[in-house]
Amino acid sequence: MTDHHDDVSRETLPPALEAEPAVAAVLFGDTIIRARRFAAALAEQGEERGLIGPLELPRLWTRHILNSVIMAPLLRPGRVGDIGTGAGLPGLVLAIARPDVQFVLIEPMERRVAWLNEQVGELGLENVEVVRARAEEAKAFGGLDQVTARAVSALRTLIPLTAPLARKGGELVLMKGINAEAEISAAEKQIRRFKLHDVRVEILGDGVLEETTRVVRATVDRDERATGGVSRETFG
Ligand SMILES: C[S@@+](CC[C@H](N)C(=O)[O-])C[C@H]1O[C@@H](n2cnc3c(N)ncnc32)[C@H](O)[C@@H]1O
């Protein structure tokens, strides 16, 4: 027989946090303790602070944290920028996994910036600078070796936001969904205008994660004219 009160309480319980998948400890190595602390803080405060949706808790590790850390081996020691970090994805997760890399997290929303700064302090991360700005206004933090972004915008609008922040010879490593190839085709003009080379899609996590992820990688060979507001007619 069904107990009505049990049914009601089950319906009103918040969704449970996903148990940590075993592969998390493999991917984070000895940085897993910090990753667990970050996951717990995000699970506890994320919805209330408008960082993640209410449905994300049952997939917080798989869909968000592992999906971010899977990029960690693509980063080289140097300065890496993450544009539109939001709750910390992928930038803060990568900073946890790669203490040998310096990160600049660029995010315009005040409450997200407050969250990121708090987490940097709580986790004792010494390799992170949080900048409150839109990417278009963050040129002073440019000259980056690599630039990442996840779920910010389609490639044709994301390239003009990210490429100007990379140094000449630097790299874009942009997380993309299943339509990555189509986004590259749609961004043909921007790829030319910002002098991107070796533009390619890589699939990450095959055989490791339940859900693979895609990144668009490209080398930036820009010159100053291409980022100085020169009209589309010149380059497009
Ligand atoms: C959909 S959220 C994604 C957040 C996070 N990267 C993730 O994967 O969960 C997009 C984020 O990009 C930020 N954003 C939007 N336009 C931006 C811009 N021009 N420069 C930098 N960040 C931007 C927003 O404030 C927001 O935090």
Side-chain angles (χ1 to χ4, degrees), residues 83-86 89 106-109 112 133-136 150-152 161:
I83 306 307
T85 308
L89 306 164
I106 297 171
E107 166 59 50
M109 277 190 67
R112 293 181 179 165
R134 296 173 62 78
E136 303 88 311
R150 175 183 187 261
V152 173
L161 295 183

Side-chain angles (χ1 to χ4, degrees), residues 44-224:
E44 196 185 307
Q45 303 174 48
E47 189 191 345
E48 182 190 317
R49 296 178 66 164
L51 300 162
I52 53 169
L55 300 178
E56 301 312 311
L57 282 189
R59 52 190 192 184
L60 192 68
W61 280 99
T62 308
R63 180 64 66 86
H64 299 290
I65 297 175
L66 298 185
N67 177 268
S68 295
V69 77
I70 198 71
M71 279 177 62
L74 304 186
L75 304 182
R76 298 183 288 265
R79 284 176 73 235
V80 173
D82 183 42
I83 306 307
T85 308
L89 306 164
L92 202 66
V93 170
L94 291 170
I96 290 170
R98 291 293 304 266
D100 59 321
V101 177
Q102 294 298 315
F103 287 85
V104 183
L105 310 183
I106 297 171
E107 166 59 50
M109 277 190 67
E110 188 173 9
R111 63 192 158 84
R112 293 181 179 165
V113 168
W115 158 259
L116 292 169
N117 276 320
E118 268 171 50
Q119 285 305 302
V120 168
E122 294 277 333
L123 299 170
L125 293 170
E126 290 177 354
N127 58 333
V128 182
E129 183 178 4
V130 181
V131 175
R132 184 181 177 202
R134 296 173 62 78
E136 303 88 311
E137 301 155 352
K139 297 255 166 61
F141 299 90
L144 298 162
D145 297 297
Q146 290 173 297
V147 183
T148 65
R150 175 183 187 261
V152 173
S153 66
L155 205 56
R156 65 193 164 83
T157 46
L158 191 56
I159 288 170
L161 295 183
T162 51
L165 297 177
R167 66 169 167 79
K168 188 174 165 72
E171 189 187 27
L172 305 185
V173 190
L174 308 173
M175 305 191 76
K176 282 289 158 195
I178 196 117
N179 295 324
E181 298 281 2
E183 285 196 36
I184 290 176
S185 304
E188 219 174 279
K189 277 185 183 170
Q190 290 75 19
I191 287 170
R192 275 207 311 276
R193 180 180 170 201
F194 288 91
K195 296 185 180 291
L196 303 189
H197 295 297
D198 302 325
V199 183
R200 63 203 185 278
V201 178
E202 282 181 18
I203 298 179
L204 307 179
D206 202 13
V208 179
L209 298 183
E210 267 174 43
E211 296 176 32
T212 56
T213 192
R214 285 169 171 72
V215 285
V216 172
R217 300 184 74 174
T219 304
V220 182
D221 186 25
R222 64 182 175 81
D223 60 32
E224 293 316 310

